Amino acid sequence: MKPLRLILTLMPFVCGCGDGSSGSDDLLYDELSMPRVPTVALDSFTSAEDCGLCHQTHYAEWATSAHAYAMKDPVFRAFVAVRQENYAGKQDKFCLQCHTPIGTRGGDIEAGFEFADLQPITLEGVTCESCHKVASLARPYNSGHVLDPDGPMRGTIAAPIPSSFHESQFSLLHGGSAFCAGCHDLREVSGLVLERPYAEWQQSPAVAAGVQCQDCHMPRYEGQAVAGGPTRTLHRHTWIGAGIPLLEGFIMPDQEAALRVEVKRLLAGAARVDIAAPASVRAGDVVDLGIIVKNNIAAHNFPTGSTFNRQAWVEVVVRDGDGRVVFATGTLDTSGEPRGPGLLQLGSVLVDARGQRVLFPWRATEHVSNALEPLRERAFRLHVATASAGRGPLSVEARVLFRAFSPDALRALGLDEYAARLEVHEVSRDLASVELRPR
């Protein structure tokens, strides 16, 4: 495996009290997204349920989405709990600035807060008006949106019909990738770059092709924004990503089944694996295998987002003519983790000042990545001994596999019960055959 190549550097991030680890009693704050005092009123915002009275389809889509899941996700809550403990509440607003921008700016997130004590609009997470009340973008990371609670509902409908319920306005911003960057690119308090799908998109072939994040993650369809309204080109508000909610009961079983189909569709073909193998080898010799992995996505890396949490790897299994395993790497061990000689992984790791891998971003000083860039490929080499092989031919199978979280990471967070619900998705597969010649 080639070494991890890309070191994501420290970037400026201005906040009010450094890294929160000093003796100050002040909360970590940022004038825009983590204000010291509320900059909006919680009761200035409308619940998604109220929006759903007219926008039934969009509400139903949102209710199954990662945006609606943002404040309910048990993994997120566990990360927040550890950060609360590590910083005695001084950094409680950092993760919440994106997961509930209204609640954070509205004063509901205070040092040592409890999820059970939060207001309903805060617990809605990335709710309708978190996006549609955005007037502009101040920065393309860390909840960089400028909220305008008294302004119109902004969106991508070019000629919205006047409504007695709210004013509507076309927004060019809402249809572009920069809008998504406001929360999906993320920098730690230290300035360490954690997530950068927008930065990846900026350097990708998708820019020249005019492809935006919304084209894949909010696909268009013909429908009615409001029951009885005109048929228009709309965007789906499900924001299909790479994961399925681990929290049982968040969505109904039929909704989960439908979501699983969409996740598999999104991942299928996201990357391609090809095996380069000799036609034959003398029995007892070593087979040199080339494993070529290509990122088929034109817009961002594979994987992308919180790559230090994601698992993407290549499973390679070689069997002899009797079906016995001669070589294997990337298969799951008893703990559910991929193991094996020369393990081929794609993603990133967080490293602390001592050079040790860490789970929690706020303890990291480096973020080292070998994720595949858009439409790029990488070749790995494996050396397979055939001394234990019986008769030929050797069959070689390689699969690119993906999983949203590591089971070990969930167990480290005390979430053992969710590890069993993690799903491994096959992204790509290739087969090859190698004849065994007599000695």
Side-chain angles (χ1 to χ4, degrees):
M1 176 178 176
K2 289 192 176 182
L4 296 170
R5 312 182 285 117
L6 175 64
I7 298 180
L8 304 179
T9 56
L10 295 174
M11 301 290 287
F13 175 56
V14 178
C15 65
C17 57
D19 66 359
S21 59
S22 68
S24 171
D25 292 329
D26 292 336
L27 290 171
L28 176 76
Y29 74 93
D30 172 88
E31 291 299 335
L32 174 64
S33 60
M34 301 181 292
R36 185 189 299 273
V37 296
T39 54
V40 298
L42 295 180
D43 59 9
S44 296
F45 295 90
T46 301
S47 166
E49 290 185 1
D50 291 336
C51 297
L53 296 176
C54 293
H55 301 279
Q56 298 172 2
T57 301
H58 283 162
Y59 173 75
E61 292 168 347
W62 169 86
T64 67
S65 74
H67 285 174
Y69 189 58
M71 287 290 283
K72 299 176 175 63
D73 181 4
V75 181
F76 169 71
R77 289 192 174 198
F79 267 99
V80 168
V82 176
R83 193 163 189 143
Q84 284 183 312
E85 181 180 353
N86 285 182
Y87 290 102
K90 293 179 183 179
Q91 293 198 11
D92 282 7
K93 291 185 177 182
F94 180 77
C95 296
L96 280 295
Q97 65 182 318
C98 282
H99 280 248
T100 179
I102 290 174
T104 305
R105 300 176 192 207
D108 210 15
I109 306 304
E110 298 178 345
F113 77 91
E114 297 282 348
F115 280 92
D117 297 333
L118 298 179
Q119 296 298 311
I121 191 69
T122 301
L123 291 172
E124 284 189 10
V126 185
T127 190
C128 304
E129 293 192 342
S130 300
C131 293
H132 291 286
K133 286 286 189 176
V134 168
S136 61
L137 185 69
R139 61 178 181 240
Y141 60 91
N142 287 44
S143 194
H145 303 102
V146 177
L147 283 178
D148 177 19
D150 299 322
M153 294 290 280
R154 296 172 171 89
T156 57
I157 294 178
I161 296 175
S163 165
S164 60
F165 294 95
H166 58 74
E167 183 184 353
S168 301
Q169 186 179 97
F170 170 73
S171 167
L172 190 63
L173 172 65
H174 284 67
S177 295
F179 186 88
C180 307
C183 275
H184 287 277
D185 275 32
L186 182 65
R187 300 176 186 178
E188 250 296 349
V189 174
S190 64
L192 186 66
V193 178
L194 297 179
E195 302 177 24
R196 56 189 301 274
Y198 175 68
E200 295 162 7
W201 174 85
Q202 286 182 302
Q203 301 170 354
S204 77
V207 176
V211 176
Q212 307 294 324
C213 301
Q214 293 86 337
D215 293 328
C216 290
H217 295 284
M218 296 185 72
R220 295 175 176 85
Y221 68 100
E222 298 300 311
Q224 297 174 323
V226 177
T231 298
R232 300 179 180 275
T233 299
L234 306 175
H235 289 86
R236 294 206 180 277
H237 283 58
T238 44
W239 298 283
I240 299 299
I244 295 169
L246 296 177
L247 183 63
E248 291 189 78
F250 170 68
I251 53 179
M252 302 300 292
D254 60 327
Q255 294 173 322
E256 183 176 312
L259 176 59
R260 183 172 292 105
V261 170
E262 290 298 311
V263 170
K264 289 184 178 296
R265 178 192 60 78
L266 182 72
L267 289 172
R272 175 189 172 100
V273 63
D274 290 292
I275 301 169
S280 66
V281 69
R282 190 173 59 180
D285 285 356
V286 172
V287 181
D288 288 326
L289 293 179
I291 307 296
I292 300 95
V293 182
K294 180 181 179 182
N295 178 7
N296 286 337
I297 303 168
H300 58 69
N301 292 1
F302 176 81
T304 192
S306 55
T307 51
F308 47 90
N309 288 327
R310 307 293 186 223
Q311 285 189 312
W313 73 99
V314 185
E315 176 195 82
V316 181
V317 180
V318 181
R319 294 179 173 85
D320 66 15
D322 296 317
R324 293 183 301 172
V325 175
V326 175
F327 173 88
T329 188
T331 54
L332 301 183
D333 65 11
T334 55
S335 70
E337 291 291 338
R339 309 290 186 195
L343 182 62
L344 313 180
Q345 293 179 297
L346 295 168
S348 69
V349 294
L350 297 169
V351 181
D352 66 14
R354 297 175 298 173
Q356 300 296 311
R357 183 173 180 175
V358 293
L359 174 62
F360 302 110
W362 54 91
R363 297 179 183 173
T365 57
E366 284 188 336
H367 184 191
V368 190
S369 172
N370 76 337
L372 264 176
E373 296 172 346
L375 302 184
R376 300 292 293 273
E377 66 179 36
R378 187 171 304 143
F380 302 92
R381 299 205 68 81
L382 292 173
H383 306 291
V384 179
T386 65
S388 64
R391 63 186 180 89
L394 299 177
S395 64
V396 185
E397 180 182 65
R399 299 192 298 159
V400 176
L401 301 174
F402 177 88
R403 183 164 53 190
F405 291 103
S406 154
D408 280 354
L410 293 191
R411 285 188 281 267
L413 289 166
L415 301 175
D416 302 54
E417 70 272 26
Y418 295 108
R421 284 180 54 80
L422 288 171
E423 299 185 28
V424 176
H425 301 278
E426 181 179 301
V427 178
S428 177
R429 177 195 299 241
D430 193 28
L431 303 171
S433 180
V434 180
E435 291 293 338
L436 281 181
R437 302 193 311 271
R439 280 182 171 276

